[in-house]
Amino acid sequence: MDTIAEHLRELSAHVTVPRSVPGLVSRRLMVMSFIDGLPLLQLRDKVAHLPQWKREKAARRILDRVSEAYGLMILGEGLFQADGHPGNILVQQGGRIALLDYGQSKQLGEKDKRAFADLVLAMNRGDQRAISSALTLLDVSTSKDDISLRSEMAYGMFDTRGKVDPFDKNSPIKQAAIEKFPPDMFFVLRVVQLLRGMANGMGIHDFSTADQWAPLARKAIAKAKKKDRKRQQQHRWRAQPLYDLAAYTSPLRV
């Protein structure tokens, strides 16, 4: 929780994460800062008296901020709150949002985070071939290697624009069954389903996590490439042969 609060510090103007109270944490008990706010599910009644344009503006702002926070968690350091549901979201004064309950959190590995960043950018571009390739890098395998079906499936799982209805006979999941799926990515899928549910409940039908998270994905890839270059340089340095120091020193004079 404290680590995620640090990771989201750049969003602290409009995102609140509780922190533990130093000296009041043990194996059995943890005291944390009190967070005041209105549960997300009670927001509709609270703003019912406002003009429609104000309600719509407030709804979009809240959705943007919740989605931005999750995007930064997932594509930033890869550590994210994995129990996303409306009961863990509070709306505070001025449209600030608070994210609660970090008892279930997940840490994506560098490989999965890089592959997910590739997937986000591919969905942002609408590049079906790149989407299918990114799913392969994420270790998602399907019974059919159909690029179109895999692309539709990716939007359904990882972008709020898509949808997944396992009971629809034309669903891509029915036509190309998922044979392998990485466990940690299931929790990323849950985050996207939370955001899609929020968007639908708020009447916002043009919101895309892939579009909003694209800049974060580019940063994640740039950071990964920088780490790769550094590792390669270190590897080359370690592979350098050790020459006899005497070959580079002049004979000692007596």
Side-chain angles (χ1 to χ4, degrees), residues 204-231:
I204 300 172
H205 305 297
D206 60 349
F207 182 78
S208 166
T209 45
D211 290 350
Q212 190 196 42
W213 293 353
L216 297 171
R218 293 188 188 98
K219 287 182 180 179
I221 291 173
K223 186 176 180 180
K225 288 180 177 178
K226 185 176 180 180
K227 285 184 178 179
D228 287 344
R229 288 194 296 269
K230 187 175 181 180
R231 280 194 291 265

PDB file of all heavy atoms in Angstrom, residues 204-231:
ATOM      1  N   ILE A 204     -20.904   6.260 -20.546  1.00  0.00           N
ATOM      2  CA  ILE A 204     -19.774   6.730 -21.350  1.00  0.00           C
ATOM      3  C   ILE A 204     -19.369   5.598 -22.297  1.00  0.00           C
ATOM      4  O   ILE A 204     -18.844   4.569 -21.862  1.00  0.00           O
ATOM      5  CB  ILE A 204     -18.588   7.135 -20.457  1.00  0.00           C
ATOM      6  CG1 ILE A 204     -19.008   8.252 -19.505  1.00  0.00           C
ATOM      7  CG2 ILE A 204     -17.397   7.580 -21.307  1.00  0.00           C
ATOM      8  CD1 ILE A 204     -17.967   8.588 -18.455  1.00  0.00           C
ATOM      9  N   HIS A 205     -19.602   5.778 -23.583  1.00  0.00           N
ATOM     10  CA  HIS A 205     -19.417   4.679 -24.535  1.00  0.00           C
ATOM     11  C   HIS A 205     -18.244   4.900 -25.492  1.00  0.00           C
ATOM     12  O   HIS A 205     -18.031   4.067 -26.389  1.00  0.00           O
ATOM     13  CB  HIS A 205     -20.706   4.470 -25.332  1.00  0.00           C
ATOM     14  CG  HIS A 205     -21.906   4.232 -24.452  1.00  0.00           C
ATOM     15  ND1 HIS A 205     -22.015   3.141 -23.625  1.00  0.00           N
ATOM     16  CD2 HIS A 205     -23.040   4.971 -24.268  1.00  0.00           C
ATOM     17  CE1 HIS A 205     -23.165   3.190 -22.965  1.00  0.00           C
ATOM     18  NE2 HIS A 205     -23.808   4.283 -23.338  1.00  0.00           N
ATOM     19  N   ASP A 206     -17.510   5.986 -25.307  1.00  0.00           N
ATOM     20  CA  ASP A 206     -16.381   6.258 -26.205  1.00  0.00           C
ATOM     21  C   ASP A 206     -15.047   6.222 -25.464  1.00  0.00           C
ATOM     22  O   ASP A 206     -14.042   6.739 -25.953  1.00  0.00           O
ATOM     23  CB  ASP A 206     -16.557   7.616 -26.892  1.00  0.00           C
ATOM     24  CG  ASP A 206     -16.634   8.775 -25.890  1.00  0.00           C
ATOM     25  OD1 ASP A 206     -16.756   8.513 -24.668  1.00  0.00           O
ATOM     26  OD2 ASP A 206     -16.580   9.945 -26.328  1.00  0.00           O
ATOM     27  N   PHE A 207     -15.031   5.615 -24.289  1.00  0.00           N
ATOM     28  CA  PHE A 207     -13.801   5.584 -23.487  1.00  0.00           C
ATOM     29  C   PHE A 207     -12.982   4.353 -23.833  1.00  0.00           C
ATOM     30  O   PHE A 207     -13.520   3.251 -23.967  1.00  0.00           O
ATOM     31  CB  PHE A 207     -14.126   5.583 -21.995  1.00  0.00           C
ATOM     32  CG  PHE A 207     -12.903   5.611 -21.120  1.00  0.00           C
ATOM     33  CD1 PHE A 207     -12.212   6.794 -20.912  1.00  0.00           C
ATOM     34  CD2 PHE A 207     -12.434   4.450 -20.521  1.00  0.00           C
ATOM     35  CE1 PHE A 207     -11.083   6.819 -20.114  1.00  0.00           C
ATOM     36  CE2 PHE A 207     -11.301   4.465 -19.725  1.00  0.00           C
ATOM     37  CZ  PHE A 207     -10.627   5.656 -19.526  1.00  0.00           C
ATOM     38  N   SER A 208     -11.671   4.527 -23.956  1.00  0.00           N
ATOM     39  CA  SER A 208     -10.773   3.425 -24.288  1.00  0.00           C
ATOM     40  C   SER A 208      -9.556   3.441 -23.372  1.00  0.00           C
ATOM     41  O   SER A 208      -8.815   4.420 -23.339  1.00  0.00           O
ATOM     42  CB  SER A 208     -10.316   3.528 -25.744  1.00  0.00           C
ATOM     43  OG  SER A 208      -9.210   2.673 -25.990  1.00  0.00           O
ATOM     44  N   THR A 209      -9.351   2.358 -22.636  1.00  0.00           N
ATOM     45  CA  THR A 209      -8.147   2.270 -21.818  1.00  0.00           C
ATOM     46  C   THR A 209      -6.902   2.224 -22.702  1.00  0.00           C
ATOM     47  O   THR A 209      -5.864   2.787 -22.348  1.00  0.00           O
ATOM     48  CB  THR A 209      -8.186   1.013 -20.927  1.00  0.00           C
ATOM     49  OG1 THR A 209      -8.617  -0.113 -21.700  1.00  0.00           O
ATOM     50  CG2 THR A 209      -9.130   1.197 -19.756  1.00  0.00           C
ATOM     51  N   ALA A 210      -7.016   1.565 -23.861  1.00  0.00           N
ATOM     52  CA  ALA A 210      -5.857   1.485 -24.756  1.00  0.00           C
ATOM     53  C   ALA A 210      -5.421   2.879 -25.196  1.00  0.00           C
ATOM     54  O   ALA A 210      -4.222   3.175 -25.279  1.00  0.00           O
ATOM     55  CB  ALA A 210      -6.179   0.620 -25.966  1.00  0.00           C
ATOM     56  N   ASP A 211      -6.386   3.750 -25.487  1.00  0.00           N
ATOM     57  CA  ASP A 211      -6.045   5.114 -25.900  1.00  0.00           C
ATOM     58  C   ASP A 211      -5.453   5.900 -24.735  1.00  0.00           C
ATOM     59  O   ASP A 211      -4.458   6.621 -24.893  1.00  0.00           O
ATOM     60  CB  ASP A 211      -7.284   5.835 -26.428  1.00  0.00           C
ATOM     61  CG  ASP A 211      -7.744   5.286 -27.768  1.00  0.00           C
ATOM     62  OD1 ASP A 211      -6.992   4.489 -28.376  1.00  0.00           O
ATOM     63  OD2 ASP A 211      -8.858   5.637 -28.207  1.00  0.00           O
ATOM     64  N   GLN A 212      -6.056   5.773 -23.552  1.00  0.00           N
ATOM     65  CA  GLN A 212      -5.560   6.548 -22.413  1.00  0.00           C
ATOM     66  C   GLN A 212      -4.202   6.049 -21.937  1.00  0.00           C
ATOM     67  O   GLN A 212      -3.351   6.832 -21.519  1.00  0.00           O
ATOM     68  CB  GLN A 212      -6.554   6.502 -21.252  1.00  0.00           C
ATOM     69  CG  GLN A 212      -6.191   7.498 -20.138  1.00  0.00           C
ATOM     70  CD  GLN A 212      -6.905   7.214 -18.838  1.00  0.00           C
ATOM     71  OE1 GLN A 212      -7.031   6.067 -18.417  1.00  0.00           O
ATOM     72  NE2 GLN A 212      -7.397   8.263 -18.195  1.00  0.00           N
ATOM     73  N   TRP A 213      -3.997   4.742 -22.002  1.00  0.00           N
ATOM     74  CA  TRP A 213      -2.759   4.175 -21.486  1.00  0.00           C
ATOM     75  C   TRP A 213      -1.617   4.173 -22.505  1.00  0.00           C
ATOM     76  O   TRP A 213      -0.488   3.804 -22.162  1.00  0.00           O
ATOM     77  CB  TRP A 213      -3.001   2.739 -21.021  1.00  0.00           C
ATOM     78  CG  TRP A 213      -3.896   2.624 -19.824  1.00  0.00           C
ATOM     79  CD1 TRP A 213      -4.390   3.633 -19.048  1.00  0.00           C
ATOM     80  CD2 TRP A 213      -4.411   1.406 -19.258  1.00  0.00           C
ATOM     81  NE1 TRP A 213      -5.190   3.133 -18.047  1.00  0.00           N
ATOM     82  CE2 TRP A 213      -5.229   1.775 -18.144  1.00  0.00           C
ATOM     83  CE3 TRP A 213      -4.285   0.062 -19.593  1.00  0.00           C
ATOM     84  CZ2 TRP A 213      -5.890   0.827 -17.363  1.00  0.00           C
ATOM     85  CZ3 TRP A 213      -4.954  -0.882 -18.822  1.00  0.00           C
ATOM     86  CH2 TRP A 213      -5.735  -0.505 -17.713  1.00  0.00           C
ATOM     87  N   ALA A 214      -1.874   4.563 -23.736  1.00  0.00           N
ATOM     88  CA  ALA A 214      -0.823   4.521 -24.765  1.00  0.00           C
ATOM     89  C   ALA A 214       0.433   5.306 -24.374  1.00  0.00           C
ATOM     90  O   ALA A 214       1.550   4.792 -24.534  1.00  0.00           O
ATOM     91  CB  ALA A 214      -1.375   5.011 -26.103  1.00  0.00           C
ATOM     92  N   PRO A 215       0.310   6.546 -23.853  1.00  0.00           N
ATOM     93  CA  PRO A 215       1.531   7.258 -23.434  1.00  0.00           C
ATOM     94  C   PRO A 215       2.283   6.522 -22.327  1.00  0.00           C
ATOM     95  O   PRO A 215       3.529   6.512 -22.310  1.00  0.00           O
ATOM     96  CB  PRO A 215       0.998   8.614 -22.938  1.00  0.00           C
ATOM     97  CG  PRO A 215      -0.318   8.784 -23.626  1.00  0.00           C
ATOM     98  CD  PRO A 215      -0.884   7.398 -23.716  1.00  0.00           C
ATOM     99  N   LEU A 216       1.567   5.892 -21.410  1.00  0.00           N
ATOM    100  CA  LEU A 216       2.208   5.118 -20.346  1.00  0.00           C
ATOM    101  C   LEU A 216       2.911   3.899 -20.931  1.00  0.00           C
ATOM    102  O   LEU A 216       4.001   3.527 -20.477  1.00  0.00           O
ATOM    103  CB  LEU A 216       1.164   4.673 -19.318  1.00  0.00           C
ATOM    104  CG  LEU A 216       0.442   5.781 -18.551  1.00  0.00           C
ATOM    105  CD1 LEU A 216      -0.714   5.201 -17.728  1.00  0.00           C
ATOM    106  CD2 LEU A 216       1.404   6.532 -17.639  1.00  0.00           C
ATOM    107  N   ALA A 217       2.313   3.285 -21.938  1.00  0.00           N
ATOM    108  CA  ALA A 217       2.922   2.129 -22.588  1.00  0.00           C
ATOM    109  C   ALA A 217       4.218   2.520 -23.298  1.00  0.00           C
ATOM    110  O   ALA A 217       5.210   1.787 -23.254  1.00  0.00           O
ATOM    111  CB  ALA A 217       1.939   1.502 -23.576  1.00  0.00           C
ATOM    112  N   ARG A 218       4.200   3.679 -23.945  1.00  0.00           N
ATOM    113  CA  ARG A 218       5.429   4.146 -24.621  1.00  0.00           C
ATOM    114  C   ARG A 218       6.543   4.381 -23.612  1.00  0.00           C
ATOM    115  O   ARG A 218       7.711   4.035 -23.861  1.00  0.00           O
ATOM    116  CB  ARG A 218       5.133   5.430 -25.406  1.00  0.00           C
ATOM    117  CG  ARG A 218       4.198   5.234 -26.587  1.00  0.00           C
ATOM    118  CD  ARG A 218       4.086   6.484 -27.436  1.00  0.00           C
ATOM    119  NE  ARG A 218       3.045   6.332 -28.437  1.00  0.00           N
ATOM    120  CZ  ARG A 218       1.801   6.794 -28.304  1.00  0.00           C
ATOM    121  NH1 ARG A 218       1.465   7.484 -27.222  1.00  0.00           N
ATOM    122  NH2 ARG A 218       0.905   6.599 -29.241  1.00  0.00           N
ATOM    123  N   LYS A 219       6.212   4.950 -22.478  1.00  0.00           N
ATOM    124  CA  LYS A 219       7.221   5.170 -21.431  1.00  0.00           C
ATOM    125  C   LYS A 219       7.748   3.837 -20.911  1.00  0.00           C
ATOM    126  O   LYS A 219       8.949   3.687 -20.662  1.00  0.00           O
ATOM    127  CB  LYS A 219       6.617   5.975 -20.280  1.00  0.00           C
ATOM    128  CG  LYS A 219       6.376   7.445 -20.595  1.00  0.00           C
ATOM    129  CD  LYS A 219       5.829   8.179 -19.373  1.00  0.00           C
ATOM    130  CE  LYS A 219       5.574   9.642 -19.674  1.00  0.00           C
ATOM    131  NZ  LYS A 219       5.024  10.366 -18.482  1.00  0.00           N
ATOM    132  N   ALA A 220       6.851   2.873 -20.734  1.00  0.00           N
ATOM    133  CA  ALA A 220       7.265   1.562 -20.229  1.00  0.00           C
ATOM    134  C   ALA A 220       8.226   0.887 -21.202  1.00  0.00           C
ATOM    135  O   ALA A 220       9.227   0.289 -20.797  1.00  0.00           O
ATOM    136  CB  ALA A 220       6.037   0.681 -19.993  1.00  0.00           C
ATOM    137  N   ILE A 221       7.936   0.982 -22.496  1.00  0.00           N
ATOM    138  CA  ILE A 221       8.804   0.363 -23.497  1.00  0.00           C
ATOM    139  C   ILE A 221      10.151   1.076 -23.563  1.00  0.00           C
ATOM    140  O   ILE A 221      11.207   0.433 -23.644  1.00  0.00           O
ATOM    141  CB  ILE A 221       8.110   0.368 -24.870  1.00  0.00           C
ATOM    142  CG1 ILE A 221       6.928  -0.601 -24.850  1.00  0.00           C
ATOM    143  CG2 ILE A 221       9.089  -0.009 -25.981  1.00  0.00           C
ATOM    144  CD1 ILE A 221       6.068  -0.562 -26.085  1.00  0.00           C
ATOM    145  N   ALA A 222      10.132   2.417 -23.502  1.00  0.00           N
ATOM    146  CA  ALA A 222      11.388   3.170 -23.518  1.00  0.00           C
ATOM    147  C   ALA A 222      12.248   2.810 -22.310  1.00  0.00           C
ATOM    148  O   ALA A 222      13.469   2.642 -22.424  1.00  0.00           O
ATOM    149  CB  ALA A 222      11.085   4.667 -23.535  1.00  0.00           C
ATOM    150  N   LYS A 223      11.605   2.653 -21.164  1.00  0.00           N
ATOM    151  CA  LYS A 223      12.329   2.288 -19.935  1.00  0.00           C
ATOM    152  C   LYS A 223      12.902   0.884 -20.056  1.00  0.00           C
ATOM    153  O   LYS A 223      14.041   0.626 -19.647  1.00  0.00           O
ATOM    154  CB  LYS A 223      11.383   2.376 -18.739  1.00  0.00           C
ATOM    155  CG  LYS A 223      12.051   2.172 -17.390  1.00  0.00           C
ATOM    156  CD  LYS A 223      11.044   2.381 -16.272  1.00  0.00           C
ATOM    157  CE  LYS A 223      11.686   2.176 -14.901  1.00  0.00           C
ATOM    158  NZ  LYS A 223      10.702   2.369 -13.799  1.00  0.00           N
ATOM    159  N   ALA A 224      12.127  -0.037 -20.628  1.00  0.00           N
ATOM    160  CA  ALA A 224      12.593  -1.412 -20.803  1.00  0.00           C
ATOM    161  C   ALA A 224      13.785  -1.460 -21.759  1.00  0.00           C
ATOM    162  O   ALA A 224      14.750  -2.200 -21.531  1.00  0.00           O
ATOM    163  CB  ALA A 224      11.457  -2.287 -21.315  1.00  0.00           C
ATOM    164  N   LYS A 225      13.714  -0.690 -22.841  1.00  0.00           N
ATOM    165  CA  LYS A 225      14.823  -0.660 -23.802  1.00  0.00           C
ATOM    166  C   LYS A 225      16.089  -0.100 -23.156  1.00  0.00           C
ATOM    167  O   LYS A 225      17.196  -0.585 -23.414  1.00  0.00           O
ATOM    168  CB  LYS A 225      14.438   0.172 -25.024  1.00  0.00           C
ATOM    169  CG  LYS A 225      13.422  -0.502 -25.938  1.00  0.00           C
ATOM    170  CD  LYS A 225      13.093   0.379 -27.132  1.00  0.00           C
ATOM    171  CE  LYS A 225      12.134  -0.317 -28.086  1.00  0.00           C
ATOM    172  NZ  LYS A 225      11.777   0.550 -29.237  1.00  0.00           N
ATOM    173  N   LYS A 226      15.932   0.897 -22.314  1.00  0.00           N
ATOM    174  CA  LYS A 226      17.078   1.488 -21.615  1.00  0.00           C
ATOM    175  C   LYS A 226      17.722   0.459 -20.692  1.00  0.00           C
ATOM    176  O   LYS A 226      18.955   0.342 -20.627  1.00  0.00           O
ATOM    177  CB  LYS A 226      16.627   2.709 -20.820  1.00  0.00           C
ATOM    178  CG  LYS A 226      17.768   3.471 -20.162  1.00  0.00           C
ATOM    179  CD  LYS A 226      17.248   4.728 -19.475  1.00  0.00           C
ATOM    180  CE  LYS A 226      18.398   5.498 -18.810  1.00  0.00           C
ATOM    181  NZ  LYS A 226      17.900   6.723 -18.143  1.00  0.00           N
ATOM    182  N   LYS A 227      16.897  -0.323 -20.001  1.00  0.00           N
ATOM    183  CA  LYS A 227      17.421  -1.380 -19.130  1.00  0.00           C
ATOM    184  C   LYS A 227      18.136  -2.437 -19.951  1.00  0.00           C
ATOM    185  O   LYS A 227      19.185  -2.954 -19.545  1.00  0.00           O
ATOM    186  CB  LYS A 227      16.280  -2.017 -18.332  1.00  0.00           C
ATOM    187  CG  LYS A 227      15.757  -1.162 -17.188  1.00  0.00           C
ATOM    188  CD  LYS A 227      14.689  -1.912 -16.401  1.00  0.00           C
ATOM    189  CE  LYS A 227      14.191  -1.100 -15.222  1.00  0.00           C
ATOM    190  NZ  LYS A 227      13.123  -1.831 -14.457  1.00  0.00           N
ATOM    191  N   ASP A 228      17.572  -2.772 -21.118  1.00  0.00           N
ATOM    192  CA  ASP A 228      18.197  -3.775 -21.983  1.00  0.00           C
ATOM    193  C   ASP A 228      19.577  -3.311 -22.437  1.00  0.00           C
ATOM    194  O   ASP A 228      20.536  -4.089 -22.440  1.00  0.00           O
ATOM    195  CB  ASP A 228      17.320  -4.050 -23.206  1.00  0.00           C
ATOM    196  CG  ASP A 228      16.071  -4.849 -22.861  1.00  0.00           C
ATOM    197  OD1 ASP A 228      16.036  -5.445 -21.769  1.00  0.00           O
ATOM    198  OD2 ASP A 228      15.128  -4.856 -23.687  1.00  0.00           O
ATOM    199  N   ARG A 229      19.672  -2.035 -22.837  1.00  0.00           N
ATOM    200  CA  ARG A 229      20.966  -1.494 -23.281  1.00  0.00           C
ATOM    201  C   ARG A 229      21.984  -1.533 -22.149  1.00  0.00           C
ATOM    202  O   ARG A 229      23.158  -1.869 -22.362  1.00  0.00           O
ATOM    203  CB  ARG A 229      20.796  -0.067 -23.807  1.00  0.00           C
ATOM    204  CG  ARG A 229      20.098   0.021 -25.157  1.00  0.00           C
ATOM    205  CD  ARG A 229      20.263   1.401 -25.778  1.00  0.00           C
ATOM    206  NE  ARG A 229      19.630   2.424 -24.969  1.00  0.00           N
ATOM    207  CZ  ARG A 229      18.375   2.834 -25.126  1.00  0.00           C
ATOM    208  NH1 ARG A 229      17.615   2.278 -26.070  1.00  0.00           N
ATOM    209  NH2 ARG A 229      17.865   3.780 -24.371  1.00  0.00           N
ATOM    210  N   LYS A 230      21.529  -1.211 -20.958  1.00  0.00           N
ATOM    211  CA  LYS A 230      22.439  -1.212 -19.808  1.00  0.00           C
ATOM    212  C   LYS A 230      22.933  -2.624 -19.507  1.00  0.00           C
ATOM    213  O   LYS A 230      24.119  -2.829 -19.235  1.00  0.00           O
ATOM    214  CB  LYS A 230      21.720  -0.637 -18.587  1.00  0.00           C
ATOM    215  CG  LYS A 230      22.621  -0.442 -17.379  1.00  0.00           C
ATOM    216  CD  LYS A 230      21.883   0.248 -16.243  1.00  0.00           C
ATOM    217  CE  LYS A 230      22.800   0.459 -15.046  1.00  0.00           C
ATOM    218  NZ  LYS A 230      22.084   1.146 -13.930  1.00  0.00           N
ATOM    219  N   ARG A 231      22.018  -3.609 -19.580  1.00  0.00           N
ATOM    220  CA  ARG A 231      22.419  -4.997 -19.348  1.00  0.00           C
ATOM    221  C   ARG A 231      23.406  -5.474 -20.409  1.00  0.00           C
ATOM    222  O   ARG A 231      24.369  -6.189 -20.108  1.00  0.00           O
ATOM    223  CB  ARG A 231      21.186  -5.902 -19.319  1.00  0.00           C
ATOM    224  CG  ARG A 231      20.426  -5.881 -18.004  1.00  0.00           C
ATOM    225  CD  ARG A 231      19.437  -7.037 -17.930  1.00  0.00           C
ATOM    226  NE  ARG A 231      18.350  -6.860 -18.877  1.00  0.00           N
ATOM    227  CZ  ARG A 231      17.184  -6.305 -18.574  1.00  0.00           C
ATOM    228  NH1 ARG A 231      16.967  -5.857 -17.343  1.00  0.00           N
ATOM    229  NH2 ARG A 231      16.230  -6.194 -19.473  1.00  0.00           N
TER     230      ARG A 231
END
